[in-house]
Amino acid sequence: PIVGSTMYINKSILEKNVNLGIKHHFEGTFGDEIISHGYEKLMYLGSRFRFMQLFIEEKKLRNNRGLKFSYIKSIKDNFIKAYLPIWITKLYRKIRGTNIGILDKVTKKSFLQNHSDHFEMINGYHPSIKNKKVNDNLHEIIINEPVISYGARLYKKLGQKFGVEILLPFLDKSLIDHSLNVSSQAKLKNGFDRYHFRKAMKGIIPDS
């Protein structure tokens, strides 16, 4: 969780296909970050006290995914968290415990790392800040997270190892610029996240 990009599946794909003479590999990584699911729309509706719209949108979204909807959880995630001071959130996470187990490969000993602290150390801000940036530049903050540039460098290294050029189309500058200027109202609609992207790809890729 947020410790960097994992390359295991990509390594397996390249190992199996490099013998076929493949020299270029298009990788769909970072699509979620660049295109954006549009979940900030839910937080926006909550922070504006537009609860009826919030409940309708989130209920559709969860139904599409086969998940249960909770009015209480919706209010907590999309309304209360936006107004809670970060120090309260940090205290709550510390009391509740958000630790992840990490194995040190050198000493063979395992230790616990606080997930929120680790996220803040890597990205430079506490994860709860996303609940407070709904009217600001949340998407821009996500796109600027170091894990993206770190992952891109890893892909370059991996490609060099196998003699394959790994291409990352979602990191195209014009696409990033366009995505940042798309309203969250178009990203999440009728219970479908990345709505504008799905519409744009209609008839280009299979519905499945």
Side-chain angles (χ1 to χ4, degrees):
I2 324 295
V3 292
S5 297
T6 53
M7 296 286 145
Y8 302 112
I9 189 169
N10 307 88
K11 183 173 179 289
S12 298
I13 290 170
L14 291 173
E15 282 176 342
K16 289 179 179 179
N17 288 280
V18 73
N19 293 328
L20 299 175
I22 292 172
K23 292 295 180 183
H24 301 89
H25 172 72
F26 282 87
E27 177 56 52
T29 302
F30 310 123
D32 286 345
E33 292 87 351
I34 303 304
I35 301 301
S36 174
H37 290 280
Y39 298 145
E40 61 266 28
K41 179 181 178 180
L42 300 176
M43 292 185 283
Y44 174 81
L45 292 173
S47 67
R48 287 291 189 274
F49 304 97
R50 290 155 64 175
F51 296 114
M52 189 60 68
Q53 287 177 265
L54 167 64
F55 296 150
I56 291 172
E57 191 70 74
E58 188 171 7
K59 189 179 286 186
K60 286 181 180 178
L61 176 66
R62 297 187 75 81
N63 283 342
N64 285 341
R65 297 185 165 186
L67 301 172
K68 290 183 179 179
F69 171 76
S70 165
Y71 290 100
I72 294 174
K73 190 176 187 308
S74 183
I75 291 173
K76 184 180 76 173
D77 291 344
N78 303 301
F79 173 67
I80 295 176
K81 285 183 179 180
Y83 292 98
L84 277 179
I86 287 181
W87 71 267
I88 292 181
T89 309
K90 284 186 174 182
L91 181 63
Y92 170 75
R93 286 176 180 248
K94 191 158 285 189
I95 293 172
R96 186 184 175 202
T98 58
N99 293 327
I100 53 174
I102 298 177
L103 175 67
D104 190 311
K105 291 184 178 180
V106 178
T107 64
K108 301 299 180 184
K109 292 181 179 179
S110 60
F111 64 96
L112 291 177
Q113 169 76 56
N114 184 281
H115 178 267
S116 300
D117 291 345
H118 192 69
F119 182 98
E120 189 169 16
M121 179 184 73
I122 292 174
N123 293 297
Y125 65 90
H126 193 268
S128 297
I129 213 165
K130 291 182 179 180
N131 293 94
K132 303 179 184 304
K133 291 290 183 179
V134 292
N135 305 318
D136 199 355
N137 55 347
L138 175 61
H139 194 179
E140 190 174 330
I141 288 174
I142 292 171
I143 285 178
N144 278 298
E145 286 177 354
V147 70
I148 294 179
S149 54
Y150 170 70
R153 288 196 297 273
L154 282 183
Y155 277 113
K156 186 174 180 64
K157 285 284 195 183
L158 188 65
Q160 288 173 342
K161 176 180 173 64
F162 288 94
V164 174
E165 182 184 9
I166 297 182
L167 301 158
L168 303 165
F170 281 107
L171 295 188
D172 178 79
K173 289 181 181 179
S174 59
L175 179 61
I176 293 173
D177 184 58
H178 170 73
S179 297
L180 285 171
N181 285 286
V182 174
S183 166
S184 63
Q185 306 300 311
K187 294 172 185 171
L188 182 63
K189 190 174 181 180
N190 296 329
F192 290 101
D193 62 337
R194 293 173 292 190
Y195 182 80
H196 66 303
F197 189 59
R198 296 175 192 270
K199 290 285 284 184
M201 294 293 103
K202 186 108 177 131
I204 296 175
I205 59 172
D207 287 345
S208 59

